[in-house]
């Protein structure tokens, strides 16, 4: 791995971060707060939230089996995705490499930050070639994107291919595991201490059923997390999000039951969907959705919209011609979809 200073955008390396009022008394017991120009009424919403989310990180560290100093929390996963570009790439100079197809925000954030985005096509089984990814890199490549289980394809990426990139690439490797809670395979997060260039993304939006509170996570070595903390907005995770996330983390049995239920429904849906005349192929999935090739994706999508049922039409995505991405809902919602398609 290249020296972190070399990987970091020069002005960010030199940056003196904003010091919030809550940072300055860290480590001291305080009960009278006259430092942040807050309204003294309407407790607790009148107070700024903990800028580094210590209580929440302590719970997450136990749940995710990482160290607190290895955790960055953001406004959804989209915040750390954007921060990677702002922290580690120079606009108009550096580039990043990514699988194709994959989650669209990687490219959008590259475009916003004026960073060249180099897509590398997956094979016909939606698997990644580590060598092809490495071949697309040059000395200006700062990081590589890997989404596993991948979106929109749903499949896990071969771990050996990921490990090859981690060992041979001298920049950062970002593995987005937003859907890993639906897979029975071990996560790359468990290998953080073995790979100093590894960053792993996770979220409360999927298995934890908390898309509405917008809480994303990045796990990495503490020196990488420190750079991200320099650049993030001081109070980027609001107090309501922190409180709800803490509440949810204290109810893991409920979440585990949701995951079990969704996995059973996924099996039922795939079995039933495969019998529909419109279905041409269903691709393997380790996520809470599946990708299916159908007879006419656009016509079927329009028909479902007319019935008040919304799926995702991915037919314009490379390697996904005539494909729909279908999220696993409740048993009732899934049955409504199947019933509508049986009448198509």
């Amino acid at each position: 791995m290249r020296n972190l200073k070399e990987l970091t955008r020069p002005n960010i390396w030199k940056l003196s971060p904003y010091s919030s009022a809550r940072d300055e008394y860290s480590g001291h017991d305080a009960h009278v707060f006259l430092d942040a120009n807050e309204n003294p009424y309407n407790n607790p919403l009148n107070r700024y939230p903990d800028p580094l989310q210590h209580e929440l990180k302590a719970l997450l560290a136990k749940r995710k089996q990482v160290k607190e100093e290895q955790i960055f929390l953001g406004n959804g996963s989209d915040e750390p995705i954007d921060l990677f570009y702002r922290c580690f790439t120079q606009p108009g100079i550096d580039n990043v490499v990514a699988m194709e197809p994959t989650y669209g925000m990687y490219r959008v954030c590259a475009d916003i930050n004026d960073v060249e985005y180099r897509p590398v096509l997956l094979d016909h089984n939606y698997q990644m070639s580590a060598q092809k990814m490495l071949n697309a890199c040059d000395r200006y490549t700062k990081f590589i994107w890997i989404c596993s289980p991948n979106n929109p394809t749903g499949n896990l990426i071969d771990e050996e291919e990921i490990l090859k990139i981690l060992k041979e690439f001298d920049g950062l490797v970002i593995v987005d595991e937003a859907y890993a809670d639906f897979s029975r395979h071990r996560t790359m997060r468990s290998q953080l201490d073995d790979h100093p260039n590894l960053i792993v993304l996770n979220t409360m939006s999927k298995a934890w059923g908390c898309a509405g509170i917008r809480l994303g996570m990045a796990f990495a070595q503490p020196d990488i997390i420190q750079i991200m903390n320099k650049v993030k907005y001081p109070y980027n995770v609001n107090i309501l999000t922190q409180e709800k996330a803490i509440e949810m983390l204290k109810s893991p049995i409920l979440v585990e039951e949701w995951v079990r239920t969704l996995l059973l429904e996924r099996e039922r849906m795939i079995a039933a969907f495969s019998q529909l005349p419109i279905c041409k192929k269903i691709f393997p999935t380790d996520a809470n959705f599946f990708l299916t090739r159908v007879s006419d994706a656009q016509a079927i999508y329009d028909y479902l919209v007319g019935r008040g049922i919304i799926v995702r039409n991915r037919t314009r995505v490379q390697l996904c011609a005539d494909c729909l991405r279908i999220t696993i809902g409740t048993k009732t919602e899934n049955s409504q979809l199947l019933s509508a398609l049986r009448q198509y």
Side-chain angles (χ1 to χ4, degrees):
M1 178 180 168
R2 277 172 276 176
N3 184 281
L4 191 58
K5 181 178 180 180
E6 184 182 352
L7 287 171
T8 304
R9 189 188 294 186
N11 66 301
I12 299 302
W13 185 264
K14 298 174 185 176
L15 177 70
S16 295
Y18 174 79
S19 178
S20 72
R22 292 296 178 261
D23 288 323
E24 293 172 359
Y25 72 87
S26 179
H28 297 276
D29 185 25
H31 61 278
V32 176
F33 298 101
L34 305 176
D35 57 333
N37 303 333
E38 299 156 324
N39 187 323
Y41 305 110
N42 197 33
N43 189 59
L45 299 181
N46 60 323
R47 300 298 180 188
Y48 287 108
D50 176 359
L52 292 175
Q53 311 97 26
H54 288 93
E55 182 181 0
L56 177 52
K57 284 180 179 176
L59 287 172
L60 276 170
K62 293 178 182 178
R63 179 70 188 180
K64 303 293 184 178
Q65 297 186 318
V66 297
K67 303 178 184 71
E68 289 182 47
E69 59 269 26
Q70 291 179 312
I71 304 173
F72 174 88
L73 299 180
N75 184 357
S77 293
D78 294 335
E79 181 178 4
I81 288 170
D82 182 58
L83 277 179
F84 296 142
Y85 288 99
R86 293 166 61 197
C87 291
F88 302 113
T89 62
Q90 294 190 70
I93 297 174
D94 293 328
N95 66 74
V96 301
V97 170
M99 312 181 316
E100 183 74 19
T102 195
Y103 181 44
M105 279 302 294
Y106 310 149
R107 182 190 289 270
V108 170
C109 286
D111 292 343
I112 290 170
N113 287 279
D114 191 24
V115 173
E116 181 188 358
Y117 183 88
R118 298 182 175 181
V120 177
L121 280 179
L122 300 174
D123 66 20
H124 68 282
N125 291 317
Y126 296 138
Q127 278 298 330
M128 174 190 75
S129 164
Q131 194 57 55
K132 287 182 179 179
M133 299 282 279
L134 292 166
N135 289 346
C137 299
D138 60 22
R139 67 192 182 99
Y140 295 107
T141 306
K142 288 297 186 70
F143 51 82
I144 292 175
W145 287 111
I146 301 170
C147 187
S148 181
N150 192 24
N151 177 12
T153 61
N155 61 300
L156 278 168
I157 301 302
D158 187 339
E159 185 178 306
E160 291 303 314
E161 295 297 292
I162 298 176
L163 292 174
K164 178 179 172 65
I165 290 176
L166 281 166
K167 292 172 184 175
E168 298 187 20
F169 180 56
D170 63 358
L172 301 172
V173 180
I174 305 167
V175 181
D176 189 343
E177 295 189 328
Y179 301 96
D181 291 318
F182 298 102
S183 172
R184 294 182 175 88
H185 292 74
R186 69 171 181 168
T187 70
M188 293 302 300
R189 185 181 66 248
S190 64
Q191 303 187 57
L192 270 180
D193 292 335
D194 299 327
H195 305 284
N197 59 336
L198 174 63
I199 301 173
V200 177
L201 289 175
N202 209 196
T203 179
M204 293 285 284
S205 295
K206 311 303 178 184
W208 288 82
C210 287
I213 71 171
R214 308 304 300 131
L215 184 68
M217 309 159 220
F219 306 104
Q221 294 307 312
D223 52 356
I224 295 173
I225 299 298
Q226 288 170 9
I227 290 171
M228 297 175 70
N229 282 335
K230 286 174 65 174
V231 180
K232 78 173 184 70
Y233 293 125
Y235 303 109
N236 62 322
V237 180
N238 70 71
I239 194 169
L240 299 177
T241 291
Q242 291 189 44
E243 289 178 349
K244 189 60 181 180
I246 288 168
E247 177 188 329
M248 290 301 301
L249 285 165
K250 292 178 179 178
S251 304
I253 295 176
L254 175 63
V255 177
E256 290 165 7
E257 179 59 31
W258 288 344
V259 170
R260 281 194 295 269
T261 299
L262 288 169
L263 292 180
L264 288 172
E265 273 298 291
R266 187 180 73 186
E267 291 180 15
R268 182 180 80 91
M269 279 291 289
I270 289 174
F273 202 95
S274 64
Q275 301 302 312
L276 295 172
I278 62 164
C279 179
K280 303 303 179 186
K281 183 174 183 177
I282 296 178
F283 296 93
T285 180
D286 276 273
N288 66 328
F289 62 85
F290 63 91
L291 187 73
T292 177
R293 180 159 287 127
V294 294
S295 53
D296 188 333
Q298 188 62 54
I300 294 167
Y301 173 81
D302 292 340
Y303 164 77
L304 289 172
V305 169
R307 300 287 294 267
I309 299 171
I310 311 301
V311 297
R312 199 76 192 271
N313 185 1
R314 300 283 76 189
T315 192
R316 293 182 178 86
V317 174
Q318 282 192 284
L319 303 182
C320 296
D322 272 325
C323 284
L324 299 175
R325 192 192 71 191
I326 298 174
T327 304
I328 305 302
T330 64
K331 186 171 185 177
T332 298
E333 291 170 331
N334 299 333
S335 295
Q336 287 176 340
L337 171 65
L338 292 171
S339 176
L341 289 174
R342 289 177 180 128
Q343 300 172 50
Y344 176 73

